[in-house]
Amino acid sequence: MKKLIISIPVFALLTLGGCMKKGEQGPLENLDESFIFDPVDKNGAYAEQFLTDIYGNMPNGWNRINNSMLDVATDDAVPSMNGSTIEELIFGRVSPFINPEDAWAKSYTGIRKCNVFLAKIDRVPKIEETKNFWKAEARFLRILSYFELVKRYGGVPLMGDKIPSLQDDLSYPRSSFEECVNYMVTELDAIRGLVRKEPLPDSEYGRISEGVVLALKARILLYAASPLYNEGNIGLTAAQKAVCGYTDASPAAVKARWEKAALAADDLIKLGVYGLETSANYLNIFITRKHKEIIFSYLRANTNDVETNNGPVGHTKFGFKGYTSPTEELAEAFLMKNGKAITETGSGFNPNNPATNRDNRFGIVFFYHNVKYMNRNTELWEGGLDNPTGTTVVKTKTGYYLKKFMYNATTSTSLATQAHNFPLFRYSDVLLSYAEAANEANGPTADAIDKLNQVRSRGGFTTPIAVGVTKEELRELIRRERRVELCFEEQRYWDLRRWKIAETVLNKSLSGNKITKNPDNSFSFEKVTVGNISFQAPKMYFYPIQQNELYRNRNLIQNPGW
């Protein structure tokens, strides 16, 4: 079966001209546009490969920042390794000169490639139906790149279909936040009927479909309705306010935006082609190539890098590096099945068996005290196999390792390869987006509560959320559920910003679970401080535009505070 597996970036930016002849192919990245978009290539092989390369520009998740996940720059984890460049985000040391998560150049490279593809693809004598699908895919990928820019920087220059050369005036001003949102949504509405419909055949799985288009639209509108871009606008001048959010943040305007976000999510729900996995098979979402809950993901060849990068370090046979240490704060967000927090009286929590009567997902997300993996029990106590002594050892700082996304290897004695496709859009996220938007627009409606309960039920809770909760109570329940359900999927990092609560949540000490093995072989547990995180408000709600971009384009204005 042919699937769109993104494995290697093939092409650099196309040159404006070239002299390579057909008999002198050489490395693919050296091919010029006359070769790639070949008028006699009836199969369009190189053009399709060029489009696949644009897919490779999508967010790819995992340990992508110097062996660290983006989530370790939140309160959900700390990096096990000291000195990772992720610390620039953790401690607020980014600047117009340093940002390990900067996406300006990468995103505009992707946008330019999309524009090149759209301008040149009609040269290729591929059948029109396929070319039309490809064009719609390129337009989607262009919008995805814009969204990656907007959520980091606010309003950015909109290029349209332009393919500027070095001789052109490149001093494009920033479009307003509202203009960017309107452009993205208008484009997605335009291509909805041009992309493939679900279900995609296996030969086309991984390409853009109608559900994918609706998922991105729903997320854009969810972000656009959020506090940061409305009543929380941090702009200091009129120009900054325009790029940092809406200039009209009246209650009526904000309510209308939340309603649009809810309708967009509902459009996807009503497609009726995606669904939730059962509680018993929850792990399958993350280790199955094609799954009913995954709307769109970054597809990769089968690997074991997620396991080796994050598995408990005591498994030296497999080279596990344990780079991610989930925090006690995240662990405590997973409730007991009776709905109580583990710190509450009557919760029934037992630290010696922390997954017992706990939210079912806890055991999928964490390597915790004494859990069995690779045919032995995990030793997370001080001096145990998976928490060795020594200050220079990369090991857990919190008494936990990350288990989410790893295949079930409870009794395995060898390390296999597995599908690890980073989820960009999941059905559970859409349900929670609907619940959030509906609640913010119209309060705790029965429909909003039902969508939350659908996702929450996988935790195995004995009592669902009942009608009668307040808007504020439902908001906090939805936010907790997003944290638990979507952890380590690069959602919380942006959620805390769009909700404009990062200045509270990300200015504090972070905790771990110190486990001590006693002489009688019993264990003691102590909540301890393992690190700190800081967030400089308000400027860190948006990334600074890198100084070299400001030097190249004098019409760009910098974000507030930078």
Side-chain angles (χ1 to χ4, degrees):
M1 293 182 296
K2 175 187 172 186
K3 295 186 180 71
L4 187 66
I5 306 298
I6 303 166
S7 57
I8 53 172
V10 177
F11 297 95
L13 279 176
L14 287 179
T15 57
L16 296 173
C19 58
M20 183 172 289
K21 299 177 181 178
K22 290 291 187 286
E24 302 172 341
Q25 294 182 19
L28 289 176
E29 65 267 22
N30 293 333
L31 302 183
D32 66 21
E33 63 188 42
S34 64
F35 194 107
I36 295 165
F37 301 101
D38 188 345
V40 298
D41 180 12
K42 64 180 181 180
N43 293 320
Y46 282 133
E48 183 177 16
Q49 209 167 356
F50 184 75
L51 179 61
T52 300
D53 179 56
I54 302 175
Y55 273 90
N57 203 64
M58 297 188 309
N60 56 10
W62 312 130
N63 300 68
R64 65 179 177 84
I65 305 177
N66 194 200
N67 298 320
S68 292
M69 292 189 169
L70 183 62
D71 290 65
V72 306
T74 73
D75 54 341
D76 280 357
V78 296
S80 303
M81 181 179 71
N82 292 327
S84 169
T85 56
I86 195 75
E87 291 180 358
E88 310 297 344
L89 297 175
I90 294 171
F91 301 122
R93 297 196 296 249
V94 298
S95 74
F97 301 94
I98 299 173
N99 184 353
E101 223 272 312
D102 184 68
W104 189 278
K106 177 184 176 182
S107 296
Y108 274 112
T109 295
I111 290 165
R112 187 179 194 280
K113 287 182 179 181
C114 290
N115 287 351
V116 168
F117 182 88
L118 290 166
K120 308 297 183 183
I121 186 58
D122 281 331
R123 295 181 181 180
V124 180
K126 186 78 172 176
I127 61 173
E128 289 301 313
E129 180 185 40
T130 300
K131 286 198 295 185
N132 288 336
F133 284 144
W134 287 357
K135 290 176 187 178
E137 291 170 39
R139 289 171 71 180
F140 173 90
L141 293 168
R142 180 169 62 183
I143 296 306
L144 183 60
S145 286
Y146 274 119
F147 177 62
E148 291 300 309
L149 286 165
V150 171
K151 74 181 184 182
R152 289 170 170 82
Y153 307 99
V156 296
L158 294 173
M159 305 300 296
D161 295 321
K162 299 183 184 71
I163 310 172
S165 70
L166 294 177
Q167 289 72 43
D168 293 336
D169 181 5
L170 303 178
S171 300
Y172 296 100
R174 296 174 67 176
S175 299
S176 71
F177 176 83
E178 184 171 8
E179 288 169 338
C180 289
V181 170
N182 290 344
Y183 171 72
M184 291 187 289
V185 171
T186 299
E187 270 288 276
L188 292 172
D189 285 341
I191 66 174
R192 175 180 179 177
L194 304 178
V195 297
R196 295 171 175 84
K197 307 297 183 185
E198 284 87 353
L200 296 185
D202 286 340
S203 61
E204 302 297 342
Y205 183 67
R207 293 192 178 277
I208 309 304
S209 64
E210 183 180 15
V212 179
V213 172
L214 293 177
L216 179 55
K217 177 182 176 180
R219 186 169 294 174
I220 290 170
L221 290 174
L222 180 77
Y223 275 52
S226 298
L228 175 62
Y229 307 107
N230 290 276
E231 62 271 21
N233 191 315
I234 69 168
L236 301 176
T237 65
Q240 286 180 338
K241 284 184 178 296
V243 297
C244 289
Y246 290 102
T247 53
D248 180 4
S250 64
V254 176
K255 176 180 168 64
R257 288 171 196 138
W258 281 119
E259 288 176 339
K260 284 184 180 180
L263 285 171
D266 196 44
D267 278 348
L268 178 49
I269 293 167
K270 286 178 178 175
L271 275 186
V273 296
Y274 298 100
L276 292 176
E277 181 59 272
T278 64
S279 174
N281 297 316
Y282 184 66
L283 176 61
N284 289 343
I285 299 168
F286 309 108
I287 61 171
T288 305
R289 178 72 70 196
K290 185 176 183 179
H291 193 279
K292 67 179 180 179
E293 189 160 329
I294 297 293
I295 300 169
F296 194 48
S297 62
Y298 187 100
L299 298 185
R300 311 186 308 163
N302 286 6
T303 65
N304 55 30
D305 63 318
V306 176
E307 286 81 7
T308 56
N309 282 330
N310 300 293
V313 299
H315 293 279
T316 55
K317 172 183 177 181
F318 308 116
F320 290 167
K321 300 178 178 69
Y323 285 136
T324 306
S325 296
T327 59
E328 182 65 20
E329 283 78 12
L330 175 61
E332 291 179 359
F334 287 76
L335 303 174
M336 303 298 290
K337 289 182 181 177
N338 59 15
K340 292 181 178 289
I342 66 171
T343 55
E344 286 185 70
T345 302
S347 69
F349 175 66
N350 180 357
N352 280 294
N353 296 290
T356 302
N357 295 322
R358 193 82 172 272
D359 183 322
N360 292 324
R361 294 164 294 187
F362 179 83
I364 301 297
V365 172
F366 295 90
F367 285 109
Y368 55 85
H369 170 62
N370 220 30
V371 66
K372 192 171 185 178
Y373 186 68
M374 286 294 178
N375 211 34
R376 72 162 173 82
N377 289 355
T378 304
E379 298 184 3
L380 293 169
W381 59 85
E382 299 287 310
L385 288 174
D386 301 299
N387 192 3
T389 57
T391 57
T392 61
V393 177
V394 175
K395 60 177 183 176
T396 179
K397 294 179 179 178
T398 62
Y400 301 103
Y401 286 105
L402 177 64
K403 188 181 181 186
K404 187 175 179 179
F405 314 115
M406 300 185 189
Y407 69 94
N408 187 358
T410 302
T411 59
S412 298
T413 56
S414 61
L415 184 62
T417 58
Q418 180 67 48
H420 293 111
N421 303 319
F422 186 72
L424 298 174
F425 302 105
R426 282 211 284 133
Y427 187 64
S428 60
D429 177 20
V430 176
L431 292 175
L432 293 174
S433 295
Y434 176 87
E436 178 182 347
N439 182 55
E440 296 299 336
N442 297 304
T445 63
D447 202 23
I449 294 170
D450 175 65
K451 297 297 191 294
L452 172 61
N453 278 330
Q454 287 183 43
V455 181
R456 195 171 179 270
S457 65
R458 292 198 293 206
F461 298 108
T462 54
T463 306
I465 304 300
V467 173
V469 295
T470 67
K471 178 178 181 177
E472 292 72 24
E473 288 170 340
L474 188 59
R475 177 188 296 144
E476 292 310 309
L477 288 166
I478 292 167
R479 290 182 178 183
R480 178 191 284 266
E481 188 61 27
R482 285 188 66 86
R483 182 180 191 181
V484 168
E485 171 69 19
L486 304 172
C487 62
F488 299 100
E489 296 179 39
E490 298 198 355
Q491 297 275 10
R492 185 164 177 80
Y493 184 88
W494 303 110
D495 281 348
L496 295 175
R497 284 160 172 75
R498 68 180 180 86
W499 293 331
K500 209 185 178 191
I501 61 174
E503 58 204 84
T504 301
V505 176
L506 300 183
N507 272 316
K508 63 183 180 184
S509 297
L510 298 176
S511 306
N513 181 27
K514 181 180 179 181
I515 308 170
T516 302
K517 188 173 185 179
N518 302 316
D520 62 357
N521 290 327
S522 65
F523 296 93
S524 300
F525 305 89
E526 180 186 2
K527 186 173 180 178
V528 296
T529 297
V530 297
N532 298 291
I533 190 166
S534 61
F535 185 91
Q536 297 176 37
K539 69 178 184 179
M540 286 185 66
Y541 280 109
F542 292 96
Y543 286 171
I545 297 175
Q546 292 294 285
Q547 191 63 45
N548 58 355
E549 300 294 342
L550 297 174
Y551 288 147
R552 284 195 287 260
N553 181 354
R554 296 294 181 178
N555 283 333
L556 289 179
I557 62 170
Q558 183 59 282
N559 278 327
W562 300 106

